[in-house]
């Protein structure tokens, strides 16, 4: 930091040198100023009456100067005062304009900037597969039906020909609503384990013919693993009319699978059991990964099991007999498929949990 030196040499050259040193200090201090507070300190350091640099110059240079040198010294001191004053003034202006400048910059509207892009999101891969299946059946003349997720024992089991205590109920690990013990068994509430109860609900609402496709969420008391989730989705189908045969079922599902996975896909039907269909079948599709040759995904069988189906059991029609469902006159088929499973196959998803975690890195792959 600059301090005012004592002078012993009062020659004009020596005075010029002393003045030049002082100006250099003034300049460099003024350049280093950062803001208003710095500037005030700078001003006081130079201008303060008591002990400011200029006062010191007055005392150490002018007052101490021998008589003959006073004129020379006096001229320089006056010059110096004027220059210091203007340097201080200038420094102040500079600080103010740069402060104003940065304020303006923050308020400036740059119309060349790209706007804030709001990402619109995409349909979830489960919903996407579900909607695709529904629209395939819509194109075949099916209407869409829905039913409640909290269902009664009657619709979920009894009317679907699961008698009370029948072991087939064990195949669907059920989540029951608490505190229902007072009610008659058929009225007790549970989380529906499949979309099949909507079959009965639809048939209660409308007489035959029926062609309905029913998407929805279902619940089972299954632990979460790579392929199981306690909450998942199904699409159910039901067709009832005169002379509906197993051939119609096969043709309809084969057509739907070709629409869903591509025209080279084949289907086959394996005997199975469901209380509400007779006969019952599991439908398999030729492996969509290897085309049927056998690979890791199809466990080398060339086939992948995809859904349950069958001809509506006459006992089921009996529950809606009064609405025109006389099993001696009409027949029908039904099927139900798990959507997550289809979505996993269609989009190559590794684990079922990915559907529910809401991780955008997973979801944005479907954009
Ligand atoms: N509801 C059965 C299930 O969830 C599937 C199914 C539906 C089977 C319709 C036959 C007919 O496993």
């Amino acid at each position: 930091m600059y301090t005012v030196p004592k002078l012993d040499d009062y020659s004009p050259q020596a005075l010029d040198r002393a003045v030049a040193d002082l100006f250099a200090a003034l300049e460099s201090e003024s350049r280093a100023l950062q803001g208003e507070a710095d500037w005030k300190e700078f001003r006081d350091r130079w201008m303060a009456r008591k002990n400011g640099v200029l006062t010191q110059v007055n005392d150490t240079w002018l007052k101490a100067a021998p008589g003959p040198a006073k004129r020379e010294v006096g001229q320089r001191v006056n010059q110096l005062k004027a220059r210091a004053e203007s340097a201080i003034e200038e420094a102040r202006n500079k600080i103010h304009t740069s402060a104003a400048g940065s304020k303006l910059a923050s308020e400036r509207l740059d119309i060349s900037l790209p706007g804030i892009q709001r990402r619109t999101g995409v349909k979830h891969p489960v919903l996407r597969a579900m909607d695709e299946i529904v629209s395939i059946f819509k194109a075949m003349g099916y209407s869409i039906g829905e039913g409640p997720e909290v269902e009664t024992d009657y619709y979920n089991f009894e009317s679907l020909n699961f008698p009370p205590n029948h072991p087939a109920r064990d195949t669907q690990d059920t989540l029951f609503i608490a505190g229902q013990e007072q009610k008659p068994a058929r009225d007790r509430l549970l989380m529906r384990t499949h979309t099949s109860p909507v079959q009965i609900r639809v048939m209660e609402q409308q007489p035959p013919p029926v062609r309905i496709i029913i998407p929805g969420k279902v619940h089972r008391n299954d632990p979460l693993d790579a392929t199981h989730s306690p909450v998942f989705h199904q699409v159910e189908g039901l067709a009832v009319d005169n002379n509906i045969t197993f051939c119609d079922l096969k043709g309809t599902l084969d057509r739907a699978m070709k629409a869903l996975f591509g025209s080279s896909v084949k289907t086959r039907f394996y005997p199975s059991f469901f209380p509400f269909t007779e006969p019952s079948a599991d439908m398999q599709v030729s492996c969509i990964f290897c085309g049927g040759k056998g690979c890791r995904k199809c466990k080398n069988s060339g086939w992948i099991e995809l859904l349950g189906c069958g001809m509506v059991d006459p006992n089921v029609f009996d529950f809606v007999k009064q609405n025109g469902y006389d099993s001696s006159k009409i027949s029908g088929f039904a099927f139900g498929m798990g959507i997550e499973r289809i979505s996993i196959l269609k989009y190559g998803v590794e684990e079922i949990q990915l559907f529910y975690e809401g991780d955008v890195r997973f979801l944005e792959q479907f954009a």
Side-chain angles (χ1 to χ4, degrees), residues 172 194 196 199 220 234 236 274 276-277 308-309 334-336:
Q172 306 203 346
H194 51 177
S196 302
Q199 289 186 30
R220 287 190 198 175
Q234 288 188 335
E236 185 92 9
F274 299 100
F276 40 96
T277 47
C309 59
F335 56 86

Side-chain angles (χ1 to χ4, degrees), residues 218-220 222-225 227-232 340 352 356:
V218 301
H219 306 252
R220 287 190 198 175
D222 272 341
L224 188 68
D225 66 24
T227 53
H228 293 86
S229 157
V231 181
F232 62 103
E340 277 79 352
I352 201 167
Y356 315 115

